[in-house]
Amino acid sequence: MVRSRPYEETDRSMKIIEFLNEKAVTANLKSTTKEAALRELVEILAKAEGIKGKEELVKVLFARESLGSTGIGQGVGIPHAKINSVKKLVAALGISPQGVDFDALDGEPVYIFFLLVAPEDSAGPHLKGLARISRLLKDKFFRESLKALKDEKAILKLIREEDAKKP
């Protein structure tokens, strides 16, 4: 079998820190509704990444949510979309101290939001990013630790630590 890139590059686990924009992290999402939370996350990511067409992104996210909530349960939401105004997989992370009614699958409020945005033609990185976030957030201790943090530097430190120990 011929590989176009070294084994480590194609087969290793993607790390969250590779696609999470450090300037798109907030420990204090202010929104209290699903629509407002999506708009706030888009605003944070668009500002950090210089994304044009914020309304297009919001529209695509709302369309995705109409298919079924990306509130996956246990206080976690992973809204995601594909648009052509980004060139690579990018993400924002927001912690909501008060929780948001996000129509989560378990009916519980969402406190931890990862917004993932990928180019329209990139299935692989998009799915790997979703899988990586889901895998990390299955850990109750990690979720609770993330929820309890009050500043962005501490959030990034925790994510780096988890990235380092979980393949």
Side-chain angles (χ1 to χ4, degrees):
M1 170 166 52
V2 176
R3 291 183 183 273
S4 58
R5 290 181 286 169
Y7 177 81
E8 299 76 44
E9 249 182 77
T10 55
D11 294 331
R12 70 174 171 76
S13 274
M14 178 181 274
K15 303 291 186 194
I16 289 176
I17 213 68
E18 292 173 19
F19 56 87
L20 176 63
N21 185 316
E22 294 186 16
K23 293 179 181 140
V25 175
T26 181
N28 191 22
L29 273 182
K30 299 192 179 358
S31 303
T32 57
T33 66
K34 183 175 191 169
E35 181 176 327
L38 288 171
R39 287 184 181 281
E40 188 175 351
L41 288 162
V42 165
E43 190 63 41
I44 291 165
L45 185 61
K47 185 177 176 188
E49 284 286 337
I51 296 173
K52 306 283 184 251
K54 290 185 286 191
E55 275 312 306
E56 175 201 356
L57 177 53
V58 167
K59 206 158 101 178
V60 172
L61 285 166
F62 287 165
R64 168 59 190 86
E65 289 298 320
S66 73
L67 301 174
S69 180
T70 56
I72 61 172
Q74 299 180 310
V76 175
I78 312 176
H80 52 278
K82 291 183 181 182
I83 59 168
N84 279 326
S85 55
V86 297
K87 300 297 175 227
K88 62 182 172 61
L89 179 66
V90 292
L93 168 60
I95 308 294
S96 169
Q98 71 279 359
V100 176
D101 179 0
F102 207 75
D103 303 320
L105 301 177
D106 61 1
E108 296 295 317
V110 171
Y111 297 92
I112 301 167
F113 291 92
F114 271 98
L115 169 62
L116 278 181
V117 182
E120 283 188 40
D121 61 355
S122 73
H126 181 84
L127 293 175
K128 279 184 177 181
L130 281 169
R132 178 66 179 171
I133 290 167
S134 299
R135 198 164 36 250
L136 241 56
L137 292 172
K138 278 183 184 170
D139 180 336
K140 183 178 181 180
F141 180 76
F142 176 68
R143 285 193 315 271
E144 294 303 318
S145 298
L146 205 51
K147 262 173 52 176
L149 296 174
K150 302 293 181 223
D151 74 85
E152 292 74 20
K153 283 185 177 148
I155 290 169
L156 288 164
K157 181 177 185 278
L158 179 63
I159 288 173
R160 280 192 193 92
E161 288 169 1
E162 288 300 308
D163 261 350
K165 63 182 166 184
K166 287 201 171 56

